[in-house]
Amino acid sequence: MNEKVPLSEKFVEKLCAVNENINKVWIDFEEGELLKTFLSNQLNETTTVYKSKTDTIQERQMVPLYDTQASASMVSLFKDSNGQTPIDHISIPNLPKCDGAIYVSGDSMYPLLKSGDIIMYKRLSASIENIFWGEMYLVSLVNDDGDEFVMVKWVQKSEQGVEYIKLVSENRHHQPKDFHLKNIKGLALIKASIRVNSMY
């Protein structure tokens, strides 16, 4: 015969103090949901999202997730995402409008972003007028040798003049680098990031 052992009031108080998302009513009476976030979703309460003034919040959207390793050219994602087949779709309510999502690779934005995280982006035309200085971007560029790179960087003004931009990493082991605007083939403003912490 299995009987439930009642939890002490002191233990429940400590548990709720450690995680404010725990619903004490559920523990005491098994009513509602264990976590308050599920309860608030059932009550259709809106989630607070910090956004820029230009963002339009989408209550529901299906954001295509692309496999950049399988893409012949990341530049095509900036020009015509219809030419790429997504590997899946991501739906998170109340996010700004996003054009796509990709997995992060490398450590240039560590610890803010780590390899395996997902970033969601909104494409912009690659012109100086469209840049929000100091924001994080997915940048597609071609160097003078014709090699193509796609990277996530902070975009800052360059000391070399208005025809250049400075790409800065979060990881201080990576040096900032200036690029001429003619080398920039695509820009996408990072709107959200997703990190999955798996526990086995």
Side-chain angles (χ1 to χ4, degrees):
M1 184 167 113
N2 291 328
E3 290 188 15
K4 295 180 181 177
V5 177
L7 300 174
S8 71
E9 185 67 25
K10 189 175 181 181
F11 176 80
V12 172
E13 292 296 332
K14 282 186 177 181
L15 187 65
C16 293
V18 170
N19 187 341
E20 295 177 0
N21 196 34
I22 293 176
N23 182 7
K24 188 173 182 297
V25 175
W26 185 89
I27 294 174
D28 292 337
F29 305 106
E30 293 188 15
E31 293 178 5
E33 296 289 339
L34 172 59
L35 299 178
K36 292 178 184 176
T37 50
F38 292 132
L39 190 61
S40 65
N41 286 341
Q42 287 179 346
L43 296 174
N44 295 322
E45 293 179 6
T46 57
T47 302
T48 302
V49 175
Y50 297 95
K51 61 187 185 75
S52 66
K53 292 178 183 176
T54 58
D55 281 339
T56 302
I57 295 297
Q58 305 291 306
E59 187 176 331
R60 292 273 178 221
Q61 62 178 317
M62 295 297 288
V63 180
L65 174 65
Y66 298 104
D67 182 1
T68 54
Q69 304 301 321
S71 298
S73 171
M74 267 295 292
V75 177
S76 61
L77 288 181
F78 291 95
K79 292 180 179 175
D80 180 20
S81 59
N82 294 328
Q84 298 288 338
T85 302
I87 57 173
D88 211 331
H89 288 81
I90 300 171
S91 179
I92 300 176
N94 302 317
L95 278 183
K97 176 75 174 117
C98 298
D99 293 318
I102 62 168
Y103 286 98
V104 173
S105 61
D107 67 346
S108 70
M109 296 304 283
Y110 184 84
L112 193 58
L113 296 173
K114 67 178 185 178
S115 189
D117 288 353
I118 296 172
I119 52 172
M120 304 170 82
Y121 61 86
K122 173 73 176 153
R123 287 189 307 270
L124 303 172
S125 62
S127 64
I128 201 84
E129 296 83 19
N130 291 328
I131 296 175
F132 297 96
W133 300 109
E135 293 293 328
M136 190 186 302
Y137 284 84
L138 182 63
V139 182
S140 173
L141 61 89
V142 177
N143 68 12
D144 294 331
D145 296 328
D147 297 320
E148 183 182 308
F149 298 93
V150 176
M151 54 190 75
V152 180
K153 299 288 182 187
W154 298 111
V155 174
Q156 298 178 358
K157 290 186 177 181
S158 170
E159 293 82 14
Q160 295 187 25
V162 294
E163 294 183 343
Y164 289 83
I165 63 171
K166 179 184 283 187
L167 302 182
V168 181
S169 301
E170 182 70 17
N171 186 337
R172 299 304 174 199
H173 295 291
H174 294 250
Q175 296 300 313
K177 188 160 178 61
D178 296 272
F179 287 93
H180 196 281
L181 285 173
K182 70 178 183 183
N183 297 99
I184 308 300
K185 301 303 176 188
L187 282 175
L189 187 60
I190 304 302
K191 291 292 187 178
S193 65
I194 302 167
R195 177 169 296 172
V196 177
N197 293 312
S198 298
M199 299 181 72
Y200 297 100

PDB file of all heavy atoms in Angstrom, residues 31-44:
ATOM      1  N   GLU A  31      -4.376  21.275  -6.675  1.00  0.00           N
ATOM      2  CA  GLU A  31      -5.279  22.006  -7.563  1.00  0.00           C
ATOM      3  C   GLU A  31      -4.461  22.887  -8.484  1.00  0.00           C
ATOM      4  O   GLU A  31      -3.491  23.515  -8.068  1.00  0.00           O
ATOM      5  CB  GLU A  31      -6.243  22.875  -6.746  1.00  0.00           C
ATOM      6  CG  GLU A  31      -7.229  22.075  -5.923  1.00  0.00           C
ATOM      7  CD  GLU A  31      -8.142  22.970  -5.092  1.00  0.00           C
ATOM      8  OE1 GLU A  31      -8.052  24.201  -5.241  1.00  0.00           O
ATOM      9  OE2 GLU A  31      -8.917  22.416  -4.301  1.00  0.00           O
ATOM     10  N   GLY A  32      -4.875  22.954  -9.762  1.00  0.00           N
ATOM     11  CA  GLY A  32      -4.169  23.775 -10.733  1.00  0.00           C
ATOM     12  C   GLY A  32      -2.941  23.060 -11.263  1.00  0.00           C
ATOM     13  O   GLY A  32      -2.928  21.841 -11.422  1.00  0.00           O
ATOM     14  N   GLU A  33      -1.889  23.817 -11.521  1.00  0.00           N
ATOM     15  CA  GLU A  33      -0.653  23.278 -12.086  1.00  0.00           C
ATOM     16  C   GLU A  33       0.483  23.445 -11.096  1.00  0.00           C
ATOM     17  O   GLU A  33       0.463  24.342 -10.241  1.00  0.00           O
ATOM     18  CB  GLU A  33      -0.305  24.008 -13.385  1.00  0.00           C
ATOM     19  CG  GLU A  33      -1.309  23.827 -14.499  1.00  0.00           C
ATOM     20  CD  GLU A  33      -1.294  22.435 -15.080  1.00  0.00           C
ATOM     21  OE1 GLU A  33      -0.288  21.724 -14.923  1.00  0.00           O
ATOM     22  OE2 GLU A  33      -2.297  22.042 -15.692  1.00  0.00           O
ATOM     23  N   LEU A  34       1.497  22.575 -11.218  1.00  0.00           N
ATOM     24  CA  LEU A  34       2.656  22.643 -10.326  1.00  0.00           C
ATOM     25  C   LEU A  34       3.410  23.957 -10.489  1.00  0.00           C
ATOM     26  O   LEU A  34       3.827  24.569  -9.516  1.00  0.00           O
ATOM     27  CB  LEU A  34       3.595  21.464 -10.587  1.00  0.00           C
ATOM     28  CG  LEU A  34       4.948  21.492  -9.860  1.00  0.00           C
ATOM     29  CD1 LEU A  34       4.753  21.530  -8.359  1.00  0.00           C
ATOM     30  CD2 LEU A  34       5.795  20.302 -10.256  1.00  0.00           C
ATOM     31  N   LEU A  35       3.577  24.405 -11.762  1.00  0.00           N
ATOM     32  CA  LEU A  35       4.317  25.632 -12.030  1.00  0.00           C
ATOM     33  C   LEU A  35       3.370  26.758 -12.402  1.00  0.00           C
ATOM     34  O   LEU A  35       2.431  26.567 -13.171  1.00  0.00           O
ATOM     35  CB  LEU A  35       5.338  25.406 -13.141  1.00  0.00           C
ATOM     36  CG  LEU A  35       6.406  24.347 -12.847  1.00  0.00           C
ATOM     37  CD1 LEU A  35       7.324  24.171 -14.034  1.00  0.00           C
ATOM     38  CD2 LEU A  35       7.201  24.705 -11.605  1.00  0.00           C
ATOM     39  N   LYS A  36       3.620  27.933 -11.855  1.00  0.00           N
ATOM     40  CA  LYS A  36       2.745  29.078 -12.092  1.00  0.00           C
ATOM     41  C   LYS A  36       2.719  29.510 -13.550  1.00  0.00           C
ATOM     42  O   LYS A  36       1.734  30.052 -14.012  1.00  0.00           O
ATOM     43  CB  LYS A  36       3.187  30.255 -11.216  1.00  0.00           C
ATOM     44  CG  LYS A  36       2.974  30.037  -9.743  1.00  0.00           C
ATOM     45  CD  LYS A  36       3.483  31.220  -8.947  1.00  0.00           C
ATOM     46  CE  LYS A  36       3.355  30.975  -7.457  1.00  0.00           C
ATOM     47  NZ  LYS A  36       3.932  32.076  -6.674  1.00  0.00           N
ATOM     48  N   THR A  37       3.830  29.250 -14.290  1.00  0.00           N
ATOM     49  CA  THR A  37       3.847  29.660 -15.701  1.00  0.00           C
ATOM     50  C   THR A  37       2.776  28.924 -16.477  1.00  0.00           C
ATOM     51  O   THR A  37       2.139  29.481 -17.354  1.00  0.00           O
ATOM     52  CB  THR A  37       5.214  29.403 -16.349  1.00  0.00           C
ATOM     53  OG1 THR A  37       5.619  28.065 -16.066  1.00  0.00           O
ATOM     54  CG2 THR A  37       6.250  30.374 -15.851  1.00  0.00           C
ATOM     55  N   PHE A  38       2.552  27.632 -16.164  1.00  0.00           N
ATOM     56  CA  PHE A  38       1.488  26.890 -16.827  1.00  0.00           C
ATOM     57  C   PHE A  38       0.140  27.478 -16.459  1.00  0.00           C
ATOM     58  O   PHE A  38      -0.755  27.586 -17.286  1.00  0.00           O
ATOM     59  CB  PHE A  38       1.532  25.409 -16.433  1.00  0.00           C
ATOM     60  CG  PHE A  38       2.722  24.679 -16.957  1.00  0.00           C
ATOM     61  CD1 PHE A  38       3.478  23.883 -16.126  1.00  0.00           C
ATOM     62  CD2 PHE A  38       3.086  24.797 -18.296  1.00  0.00           C
ATOM     63  CE1 PHE A  38       4.587  23.209 -16.616  1.00  0.00           C
ATOM     64  CE2 PHE A  38       4.180  24.133 -18.783  1.00  0.00           C
ATOM     65  CZ  PHE A  38       4.945  23.332 -17.938  1.00  0.00           C
ATOM     66  N   LEU A  39      -0.004  27.880 -15.190  1.00  0.00           N
ATOM     67  CA  LEU A  39      -1.256  28.477 -14.731  1.00  0.00           C
ATOM     68  C   LEU A  39      -1.527  29.778 -15.464  1.00  0.00           C
ATOM     69  O   LEU A  39      -2.634  30.026 -15.934  1.00  0.00           O
ATOM     70  CB  LEU A  39      -1.165  28.708 -13.222  1.00  0.00           C
ATOM     71  CG  LEU A  39      -2.452  29.096 -12.492  1.00  0.00           C
ATOM     72  CD1 LEU A  39      -3.493  28.001 -12.649  1.00  0.00           C
ATOM     73  CD2 LEU A  39      -2.160  29.356 -11.025  1.00  0.00           C
ATOM     74  N   SER A  40      -0.489  30.620 -15.608  1.00  0.00           N
ATOM     75  CA  SER A  40      -0.688  31.903 -16.283  1.00  0.00           C
ATOM     76  C   SER A  40      -0.989  31.711 -17.760  1.00  0.00           C
ATOM     77  O   SER A  40      -1.749  32.460 -18.341  1.00  0.00           O
ATOM     78  CB  SER A  40       0.544  32.800 -16.102  1.00  0.00           C
ATOM     79  OG  SER A  40       1.662  32.248 -16.740  1.00  0.00           O
ATOM     80  N   ASN A  41      -0.415  30.656 -18.374  1.00  0.00           N
ATOM     81  CA  ASN A  41      -0.728  30.376 -19.774  1.00  0.00           C
ATOM     82  C   ASN A  41      -2.187  29.976 -19.922  1.00  0.00           C
ATOM     83  O   ASN A  41      -2.853  30.342 -20.890  1.00  0.00           O
ATOM     84  CB  ASN A  41       0.170  29.263 -20.309  1.00  0.00           C
ATOM     85  CG  ASN A  41       1.582  29.737 -20.544  1.00  0.00           C
ATOM     86  OD1 ASN A  41       1.826  30.938 -20.641  1.00  0.00           O
ATOM     87  ND2 ASN A  41       2.522  28.818 -20.619  1.00  0.00           N
ATOM     88  N   GLN A  42      -2.701  29.211 -18.944  1.00  0.00           N
ATOM     89  CA  GLN A  42      -4.100  28.801 -19.004  1.00  0.00           C
ATOM     90  C   GLN A  42      -5.024  30.003 -18.858  1.00  0.00           C
ATOM     91  O   GLN A  42      -6.109  30.037 -19.408  1.00  0.00           O
ATOM     92  CB  GLN A  42      -4.401  27.797 -17.890  1.00  0.00           C
ATOM     93  CG  GLN A  42      -3.805  26.430 -18.141  1.00  0.00           C
ATOM     94  CD  GLN A  42      -4.112  25.471 -17.013  1.00  0.00           C
ATOM     95  OE1 GLN A  42      -4.545  25.877 -15.939  1.00  0.00           O
ATOM     96  NE2 GLN A  42      -3.881  24.201 -17.259  1.00  0.00           N
ATOM     97  N   LEU A  43      -4.586  31.013 -18.101  1.00  0.00           N
ATOM     98  CA  LEU A  43      -5.405  32.199 -17.898  1.00  0.00           C
ATOM     99  C   LEU A  43      -5.205  33.225 -19.009  1.00  0.00           C
ATOM    100  O   LEU A  43      -5.716  34.324 -18.948  1.00  0.00           O
ATOM    101  CB  LEU A  43      -5.050  32.835 -16.544  1.00  0.00           C
ATOM    102  CG  LEU A  43      -5.353  31.964 -15.318  1.00  0.00           C
ATOM    103  CD1 LEU A  43      -4.815  32.636 -14.063  1.00  0.00           C
ATOM    104  CD2 LEU A  43      -6.840  31.703 -15.185  1.00  0.00           C
ATOM    105  N   ASN A  44      -4.409  32.844 -20.031  1.00  0.00           N
ATOM    106  CA  ASN A  44      -4.137  33.708 -21.182  1.00  0.00           C
ATOM    107  C   ASN A  44      -3.486  35.032 -20.794  1.00  0.00           C
ATOM    108  O   ASN A  44      -3.746  36.063 -21.396  1.00  0.00           O
ATOM    109  CB  ASN A  44      -5.420  33.984 -21.981  1.00  0.00           C
ATOM    110  CG  ASN A  44      -5.965  32.724 -22.614  1.00  0.00           C
ATOM    111  OD1 ASN A  44      -5.196  31.890 -23.086  1.00  0.00           O
ATOM    112  ND2 ASN A  44      -7.268  32.579 -22.618  1.00  0.00           N
TER     113      ASN A  44
END
